[in-house]
Amino acid sequence: ENVRYILQTKFNNYVKGDMWKKVLGEILGVGIFAVDGERWHVHRKLMSNMFSRNLLRHSADVTRKKLSELVYVFNKRIDESDDAEEGFDIDLQDVFFRMTIDITTIITFGIDLCSIQRDQQHHFALAFDELSFLCQKRFLDPFFHVKKVLRLTRNERRIRVLKEVVDEFAYDVIARKRRLSSHGSPLGPDLLSRFVEHGRQTNEEISDSELRDVVMNVILAGRDTTACALSWLFFELTRKKDVVEKIIEEVELVCGVGENADYSYDTMGKLKYCHCVALETLRLHPPVTNDPRYAVNRDTLPDGSKVPAGAGIEEDVWGLDALEFKPERFLDEKEPSPFKYPVFHAGPRMCL
């Protein structure tokens, strides 16, 4: 009830505040994850209109193709291995981050960075990763704002350089999309094309800076979170052979095997046990571990707790086996309430 109260009932009293803009402004700009109030409502409405089922199907197709590419790379490494019995090491987290940057840039920009098969990643991917890392370090530095304004440290000066690299890539893609749209050329199914075309058809032009912020917010939200979730999933699967066997059994039963296997959007949605595994992974290892809110006015929670600005609240909702990896807890159950399972947030800010 406390979570519901903060994220929904008293939504307007518990805001993100200025910290997100100050810490992550070079990445998020004034996008949906960094703002409150009317600006947030405008971005939310635009994003809600764009995230259709067709976009989800397109995303599923892109993901399936990238997974096939990943399997090809793995098989190639196996064939090239000098000692098949000895094996070789693969940094799965690096692989997942490469795969998800490709997927998110295809979905947002309509551009494939081809990170999976590159020895050296695309300059945009490298700049985006380093920029994200350096900006997030600010959360641990109480004096970062002074250092940022005065450019006192190497990290702050580096952030400005990286932002220029990221912005140059983004604005170049935006300019190309606008040129195609002005000439009446067909645009792709990617998110940026949808925004550009929507602006042209409705005469509600969205500025280049707003478009840049929209796609950067989507990339940050979709890329890092998915890569981290996949990394934690495989960490858990290495310790749960029985779960692996159940996953294989269900996939073969529902999707089939061999060349005739069906991994389409609709068929994958029937994988109930796999869905439970995903839910359990995200329950134990939520990619966004901190998403603070600040009380605009003093308040009292449903349980009677007094809330000053910046207060943290912790709830015990999963019982004595909360730390155990147990997908079966979700099997044959209704989807958990987002207020009990706020991995994808809850209330008006719930993930699209």
Side-chain angles (χ1 to χ4, degrees), residues 279-304:
L279 286 173
E280 182 70 345
T281 301
L282 293 170
R283 183 190 70 83
L284 272 177
H285 310 288
V288 181
T289 54
N290 292 290
D291 194 3
R293 290 292 177 275
Y294 298 91
V296 176
N297 301 302
R298 294 175 61 185
D299 200 8
T300 302
L301 298 181
D303 68 354

Side-chain angles (χ1 to χ4, degrees), residues 77-89:
R77 286 286 303 275
I78 293 172
D79 293 340
E80 293 173 351
S81 177
D82 294 331
D83 190 340
E85 293 184 2
E86 186 70 20
F88 53 87
D89 295 330

Side-chain angles (χ1 to χ4, degrees), residues 27 33 93-108 113 115-116 121-133 136 166 215-231 287-288:
I27 303 175
F33 295 120
Q93 181 164 282
D94 175 66
V95 168
F96 291 144
F97 269 85
R98 286 170 177 260
M99 180 181 72
T100 53
I101 192 66
D102 282 356
I103 292 171
T104 50
T105 52
I106 292 172
I107 294 169
T108 54
L113 301 184
S115 303
I116 292 176
Q121 288 198 61
H122 191 280
H123 68 277
F124 171 79
L126 293 173
F128 185 88
D129 279 349
E130 189 179 356
L131 179 61
S132 176
F133 173 72
Q136 291 184 59
V166 168
V215 293
M216 288 302 158
N217 278 250
V218 173
I219 291 173
L220 186 67
R223 184 278 179 109
D224 290 21
T225 53
T226 306
C228 287
L230 287 170
S231 300
V288 181

Side-chain angles (χ1 to χ4, degrees), residues 2-3 6 290 301 303 305 311-317:
N2 284 343
V3 176
I6 292 170
N290 292 290
L301 298 181
D303 68 354
S305 301
I313 300 168
E314 191 171 308
E315 297 283 332
D316 180 13
V317 296

Side-chain angles (χ1 to χ4, degrees), residues 235-261:
F235 168 78
E236 292 291 352
L237 292 182
T238 59
R239 307 190 301 174
K240 294 285 185 177
K241 185 178 179 181
D242 60 315
V243 174
V244 175
E245 291 173 349
K246 290 178 183 178
I247 290 173
I248 294 173
E249 181 181 355
E250 182 181 54
V251 170
E252 290 183 346
L253 179 64
V254 174
C255 301
V257 295
E259 296 182 357
N260 294 322

